Amino acid sequence: MNKINFSAYQPIADIQDNIVFANNGNVVFCYKGNLPEIYSLSEKDFEDMHSAWFQALKSFPVGTVVHKQDIYLKKSYTSEKLPNTTFLEKATHEHFKGRGYIEHRCYLFFILTKNKALNNPKYVNPFRKVSKGIVQKMDDNIKSFANSVSDSVSFINNSRKMDFVSLKAGDIQQLTNAYFNGFNEGYDTDILLDKKSVNIGENHFDALAINSELCFGESVQSSKTNEKFTSDDFVFNQGFIDGLGLTLNENHIVNQILFLDDKQKWRKLLDKKVEELNKSSNFGSQNKVVLSKIQHILDQINADDNARIIRGHLNIVYWAKEAKELDKITSKIKTEFKELDIIPYYPRGEERKNYILNSYCCFSSNFSNNDLYVTDLKHALCLFINNTNYKSDATGIIFNDREHNIPVLKDVWDEKKNRIKARNFAIFAPTGEGKSFLANNILRQYFESGVRLVIIDLGGSYTKFAKLYSEKYTVLRYESGKNLGINPFYISNQNDLTPERLEDLSVFLFELFASDLKVTKAQSVSVKKILRHYYDSTSENHSLDGFYSFIERNQKDLLSTLKIHPDYFNVTSFLHVMSEYVGDGLYSFLFEVSEDQTYKIEDKRLIVFELDEVKDNKEILSVMLKLIKSAIQRTIWKNRAEKGIILFDEFAKQLKFDNVLESVEFYYQAIRKQNGAIGIILQSINQLPNNSTSASILENTQVIYSLNNEKGYAELVKRLNLSSHDLNQLKSIKNNLSGPRKYTEMFIKIGRESNIFRLEVPKEVYAAYLTDGQENEEIMKLYNEHQDMQKAIIQFTSKT
């Protein structure tokens, strides 16, 4: 039995920036990779990345070793990145804490070897006889290699799909220690090597490898069909060996090592092999198989001037605490290889020890010709893993990833506008697919992070979650014959009467009394003059009724006093049209000012307008939307530093009326100057009329959410210019509404980036978002009893 005390055999002589000077004379340039999210790549993306790798690596000098290492570690989710202040935040924090997932780290090493011929003996123990005199110094040779590495990394990074950054000295040391400590945490240990096993601390290690051309089947390619998501009408792709990456769900390392050799040398060697096999091909079928494989490789190399012959080695090192667990992982990996038509080699004894120790970056040049397959670089690059876990942003809305159901923060606000120019969003989903649930989830998190909300709702979907924030919300519900409690003329003091405020009021008045006319500049100036005169003459209780009475009382000399030509303001016409909204006019109730108008919407951070009862009355809805506009101007748009969102729920019902679309387009234009966003919720994109106004709205909507739609996604793809992979993602949506982990899946596109996310929430959050059904009634009954929504939810969830 061999025992290695790692601390006595340090493989690193020196580290300068990201360059390791190894004890064996190798110089290693170290990088950490940031790869695209799993499931986000199309077949063409995989091809493009394969091509980028080829261009980046093909020109390295003979004797270069490139080592890509992907480390997968089983971890428990800590919840430390999740907010943990409010009732629902705490429930979410607790719900996901301790959930298992796989952490992935990707490394890329470029190795300049002391031994340019790369002709190593069969077994090299990297820890034996370390000589002090072998270490290289920074010379012209190394500097020239450094330039090649820099060019290569720049090329990969310019592909825009991947990003490789220099590893820091501390990270290199940490990786080295973790590798030879067997990824045991909390203590240092020895490496025990014997014929039967490799043990490091509590972990038993094993390996499987591709070490000869004979391992490969008919062909390899840059991607293959993902059977899990593909169905009859679409194909979902994954990288060729992705089944050995994240989805393996075990502790393991995938090592892909490329020896960039002399093309002529290996062409001669292959020719010689073919000659030998031709002589002996009559002596058994195995020789014929080998001959055809080698002949195929030679043909490819001879046919392609760009071909770069390499020797390659792929191995998977894996470990478990129990030896019997190791057998299970071995059979899982073999099954994956079988699906790829690859027969892996299973090293034992000395060979296994050799593979595990020499898969560390400083030693990966130690593999011998017996451990390497000969092929073209393009062929070998199909065995690169090019994706990783879902990526969390520093802040954002919590969704869940598709692989482990752990929280992923997505910054759909994008403060610095890195991904999107306009942060407006749209949610598309048929009835019953959970669009209100999703909207509640997005808005609630925005609200708790300090964003101000105005929700224009025709369905009563937000009142319940609002009740959790008793001091901060107001629900303005239209009831037949009653006013909404919004007084556009209200000012708390004369300082409120800014030019912008007068402008807004004049627009509001024109919309009421001259909605079908184009307003001239002269008319606009006239109304603003009259408004100023009204406020100067009236010190309190400002209202539409008061303004009307003021004009009525002063109609004889009002225009002459203010030097307004009668052509610019028709007093008689104004009084006639506006009489419908004051006194005993038909719609006067809309503008009544109750005596006890104690609240001011300006103080509220969550304002819900429930217009369910008004949805079929064109005139009232039209006035309501104007009142709401004036409310928005006094709240969300009053302070540009404050973030605000306006949401139109059940938007299609509002679109039945003229001017609503134009009115909403006005918000889209105006919101650009504000620190705000607009959201619309539709059952189908077809509910937006196909005209230039809608096109402008969609153009300014750069965050798209779509839930499952059994009728298909053709119109969505057409009108939002979605890619074929976006469509494949949409078609792959599957909800799971039974079992311990219920979730819905949704497509989210932020600018150009898209993927499928899940929404899984703890029972407290689920209860807060429910909008109908028996469970909702139960919660509301408890709320009416306690007048405390948090208490009602706790009581309800403790029973379930």
Side-chain angles (χ1 to χ4, degrees), residues 360-395:
Y360 167 67
C361 61
C362 288
F363 304 148
S364 41
S365 62
N366 285 346
F367 288 103
S368 77
N369 190 29
N370 295 335
D371 306 313
L372 301 162
Y373 57 83
V374 180
T375 188
D376 172 43
L377 177 58
K378 283 181 180 170
H379 178 283
L381 290 172
C382 290
L383 306 182
F384 268 25
I385 289 175
N386 284 323
N387 53 36
T388 187
N389 276 312
Y390 279 60
K391 297 198 215 16
S392 255
D393 295 320
T395 59

Side-chain angles (χ1 to χ4, degrees), residues 639-672:
N639 178 1
R640 285 197 184 181
E642 190 177 46
K643 295 176 182 173
I645 290 178
I646 306 163
L647 178 80
F648 294 90
D649 196 356
E650 296 283 5
F651 188 45
K653 290 177 184 172
Q654 301 174 28
L655 289 178
K656 286 192 299 187
F657 306 113
D658 303 339
N659 303 333
V660 169
L661 199 61
E662 285 73 15
S663 171
V664 172
E665 193 194 12
F666 161 81
Y667 288 121
Y668 276 89
Q669 302 301 332
I671 205 101
R672 289 177 181 176

Side-chain angles (χ1 to χ4, degrees), residues 522-650:
Q523 288 171 311
S524 173
V525 170
S526 306
V527 167
K528 281 182 278 189
K529 276 186 166 183
I530 297 167
L531 278 165
R532 276 188 70 175
H533 185 43
Y534 163 65
Y535 279 101
D536 288 344
S537 316
T538 314
S539 57
E540 56 186 13
N541 297 331
H542 306 108
S543 66
L544 179 63
D545 214 11
F547 182 60
Y548 182 91
S549 303
F550 174 77
I551 292 179
E552 196 176 31
R553 279 198 313 274
N554 298 297
Q555 57 185 302
K556 281 185 185 159
D557 48 9
L558 180 68
L559 299 183
S560 56
T561 305
L562 295 174
K563 298 189 173 70
I564 296 170
H565 193 281
D567 288 354
Y568 300 151
F569 186 80
N570 187 326
V571 176
T572 317
S573 169
F574 176 84
L575 292 173
H576 172 63
V577 172
M578 297 302 279
S579 65
E580 206 165 29
Y581 303 110
V582 296
D584 55 3
L586 190 58
Y587 298 114
S588 59
F589 62 87
L590 290 171
F591 293 97
E592 275 172 11
V593 180
S594 49
E595 292 301 310
D596 59 342
Q597 195 181 6
T598 47
Y599 66 83
K600 277 169 49 192
I601 53 171
E602 281 96 329
D603 298 338
K604 305 296 180 188
R605 285 192 38 250
L606 170 53
I607 304 164
V608 183
F609 293 102
E610 275 194 10
L611 307 181
D612 200 34
E613 280 195 39
V614 80
K615 60 177 178 260
D616 297 320
N617 187 317
K618 179 179 171 180
E619 181 64 33
I620 296 181
L621 184 70
S622 171
V623 174
M624 285 294 172
L625 290 170
K626 293 179 180 75
L627 282 169
I628 289 164
K629 193 151 107 186
S630 90
I632 287 168
Q633 280 158 336
R634 280 157 51 198
T635 53
I636 283 188
W637 291 351
K638 193 176 180 188
N639 178 1
R640 285 197 184 181
E642 190 177 46
K643 295 176 182 173
I645 290 178
I646 306 163
L647 178 80
F648 294 90
D649 196 356
E650 296 283 5

